[in-house]
Every structure is written in C-alpha cells, then in structure tokens.
Amino acid sequence: MNKPLLIENGTLIDPSQNLNRVGRILLAGGVIAAIDPSDGDLPQDHDVIDAGGCLVAPGLVDLGVELREPGYEEDETVHSGSHAALAGGYTSILAASSTDPVIDSHGAVEFVRQKATQANGARVYVVGCLSKGRSGKQMAELGLLAEAGAVAFSDAPRAAPSDALLKRALEYCRMLDRPVIDSPEVPEMALGGVMHDGQVSLVLGLKGLPTEAEDLAVARDVRLAEATDGRLHVGPVSTMGAVDMLRRVKSRGVVVTASACPHNLMLSDATMRSYESRFKVHPPLRSPSHVATLCQAVKDKTIDAIQSGHMPRSREKMMNDLDQSPFGISSLETALATAATALVRTGTLDWIELIDRMSTRPAQIAGLDAGTLGIGRPADVTVINPNAGWKVDPSQFRSTCISTPFAGMELIGRVKHTVVGGDLRFSD
C-alpha cells in the first residue's frame, strides 16, 4: 500500500465541481481523501508534492489509443503505450481493437487487461470490436465482450461500413449501457487518399481525402443514433460539414457526442508541402477554414472532447514514400501541450475548459469513474505546469513510435507528475 500523498500549493482545477482555486489535496487508500485538510487531519506518515505554480487536475482520459499489442509490437506495446500516456498526463486510456488477433473474444479482452496490469502504467480500458474480425459484416458478440470487461465497441480506426450493423449495434448497446464509437468515413470515397483533398493536394499531385467522405458518414451515424436512441460517439472529426451536422442534431436534443484531435486543431494541410510522412495523419490535416471551425466547435461544446489520436507506427514503416507509408502519429506525450498551445494560448479556452474536454467529458462519455477530484473518487491526478515552454524531442518519447508533426516545435504546458490510484507513476 502506498503512503498517503499530499499535493499542496497548486491550483486545484476540477470542472465537475467548478473548482478553480489554490488549495491542497490528500490522496489516501487509492482515493481522494480530502480537499484542503487541516494539518491536524493529515496522517502521521505521508509524502508531499509541492505543486507551487502548477495546476492540480483530474488525470486525463483518452477515448481512443492504438496500443497495437498483440500482433504489431514493432509499433507499440501495452507497456510502452501506457507509460507514454503517463508522461502525457493521462491516467485512463481506451485501447482500440486494431490488433492481431483483433479484440473480438473474451480471451482477447483479458489478454490486454492482463498486459495493462503488468505494465503498471495508465489505466487501460479495452474497446471491443463492433464486428467480428473487424470485417464489418457480422456483429461481434457484444454481450460476451462486455462481460469480459470491454467498456465500448468500435472498429476504429476503421469506419463502420454497414448501416444495418451499426443500427443493430446501437440498439443492442442500449441494453449493455455501453457506447458505440465510430471513426466516420465512407471507405469507397477515401480509398487511396493521402491528405486533405483541396488546393494543396492539387498542387502537390497527391490523391486527396475528400471532406464528403467524413460528412456523409457523420450524417449517417447521427441519424441512426436519433432513430435508435443509442449511445453514439463519433470521432475524431475534422471537417466543417461534420461540425455543422453535429450542431444541427444537438440543437434538436439528439444525444450524440464527438471528439477531435489536437493536431487537427493546430496544423493545416500546408504542412504536407514538405512531403514528410510525419504529417500524414488520419483524419488528415485540413485547410485553415476547417481548423478554425473545429476550434470554435470545441469552444461551444459541439465537439465534446479532445482525444490524442495516437496511431503509432514503427520507424521502418514511416520511412516509405509518402503515398506508401501508413497514417500514423505518436501523440500521447504531446496532446495536452498541443491543445494548450492551440486553444489556451490563443484565448479560445481557459484551463478549466481544456481539462473538461480532455478529462471530465471523456470520462463521462466512456462511463468511467474518472475525470473528477471528488471526495471518495479514484485518486487519479495530474500536476501540470501551465506556463512551461518546451521543445518536442521525439528521441525522448516513452512511446515506441517517434513520428510526430511537432518535432522541434515549441509548445506550452508540461506534465510534472501523474498519479494513478494514489501511486505516483510519473515525475518529470
């Protein structure tokens, strides 16, 4: 059992309680034991973190991380990915089903959960396949996957291609009280695409990924969510059309949530002029007008959450020619700083709003006991220096993947400590 831990002199940030003030917090027995305890109430033997000048926030929660194990350990492992998450301030991550074998059986769910326990990094929650074999043809045995511990269902980063399958899954998941997550895209329209379909792709002579491929998929998804009253999360989204559709259905009271990636909130397709594969991400970096619309949508909560978009691929795979290299990015360790640079430094969000989009709301969407500093809740805490500037050096990543569009770039916001269940698992 870990010693009780007192974090003091920091600014406590908790959107779930509208908390934003200097104070101290006591973690004991794996839970939040007290906020602003008196000296007389402190246990005799405890550790102390001085968080002066820092924010003390609920641990970040990520709605979609590719950990690639089993099957693609050259890209990432549960151990490396969960420790990269800690370095990025994440205490809970949802592991995608893009493994080999895929996560469509009780044994596959249990394998990832056991690996996560051994890794002793961030908490890893398993996302089960929506379809058997991620083939999009037949619904997976969702009930058995839920019993095994799957917290959500998705074929992401592959889109759900069958309208009928998605409708049935949304209906079925109402009984299981689990969300369905879809990465919206019409595969036939996106086939062979390398980057955003626009003026830059035309000049560069690269096949584009049209915005309509995402827009039509989002329109299909939200209509089925409205028809079934199912728990649907779409994301990540990247287009003005997707935002417009989400804004319309939400105004009608349809319960659907959405997320975007920090790199889509900061960078545009102009970066692809370098022909470097580190800018080849999915969904692709769009034109500046799409970027501005996404940022505003995060501000007005049309987009509920920010997810890292972590899609690790090995260095060897990313060394191919641009049209042959896979979509991929290592983003767990840069997501918070990227979002802070794109949104907080520009005045679009303040820090309590950013923590809401990266911790509180994702936890609510996934149905996790996380994203809060409430008394008696799990002691998952992140200490952040909001003003620390730092240069991204991929060679220092804990992730196996070092491909990032932010290499050499100056970002603001640095994670100093990450605590999971009262256990200090990362310190910068």
Side-chain angles (χ1 to χ4, degrees), residues 102-107 109 127-134 138-150 152-153 155 165 168-169 172-173 176 178:
V102 297
I103 304 175
D104 65 353
S105 67
H106 188 290
V109 174
V127 177
C129 286
L130 188 65
S131 64
K132 284 187 177 180
R134 290 179 74 233
Q138 185 179 357
M139 193 168 73
E141 296 182 6
L142 305 186
L144 292 178
L145 292 174
E147 284 181 14
F153 304 103
D155 284 347
L165 187 150
R168 284 180 55 223
Y172 195 71
C173 284
L176 300 174
R178 298 285 198 282

Side-chain angles (χ1 to χ4, degrees), residues 71-141:
Y72 304 102
E73 287 84 355
E74 71 275 13
D75 298 335
E76 191 77 283
T77 64
V78 174
H79 185 278
S80 64
S82 64
H83 282 268
L86 291 177
Y90 288 97
T91 54
S92 299
I93 57 176
L94 271 61
S97 60
S98 56
T99 55
D100 184 17
V102 297
I103 304 175
D104 65 353
S105 67
H106 188 290
V109 174
E110 188 58 34
F111 174 86
V112 176
R113 294 181 70 186
Q114 287 183 3
K115 282 287 186 179
T117 300
Q118 295 166 9
N120 200 40
R123 300 181 194 268
V124 176
Y125 296 91
V126 180
V127 177
C129 286
L130 188 65
S131 64
K132 284 187 177 180
R134 290 179 74 233
S135 64
K137 296 176 181 177
Q138 185 179 357
M139 193 168 73
E141 296 182 6

Side-chain angles (χ1 to χ4, degrees), residues 184-186 210-219 236-239 242 283-284 286:
E185 186 174 71
V186 177
T211 57
E212 294 83 6
E214 183 176 309
D215 299 345
L216 291 172
V218 170
V237 297
S238 65
T239 69
R286 303 284 186 184

Side-chain angles (χ1 to χ4, degrees), residues 233-283:
H233 178 81
V234 291
V237 297
S238 65
T239 69
M240 291 187 289
V243 169
D244 180 60
M245 182 62 64
L246 289 163
R247 191 170 280 135
R248 289 178 187 222
V249 298
K250 287 189 172 193
S251 71
R252 297 206 307 268
V254 179
V255 180
V256 60
T257 57
S259 56
C261 297
H263 37 276
N264 292 108
L265 298 168
M266 185 170 176
L267 302 176
S268 76
D269 59 344
T271 57
M272 293 294 287
R273 294 179 184 276
S274 68
Y275 284 96
E276 292 181 72
S277 62
R278 65 191 180 100
F279 296 107
K280 187 179 179 181
V281 297
H282 195 273

Side-chain angles (χ1 to χ4, degrees), residues 283-303:
L285 303 175
R286 303 284 186 184
S287 66
S289 56
H290 289 280
V291 176
T293 299
L294 281 184
C295 290
Q296 182 55 42
V298 172
K299 171 68 175 175
D300 66 25
K301 298 185 180 180
T302 299
I303 292 176

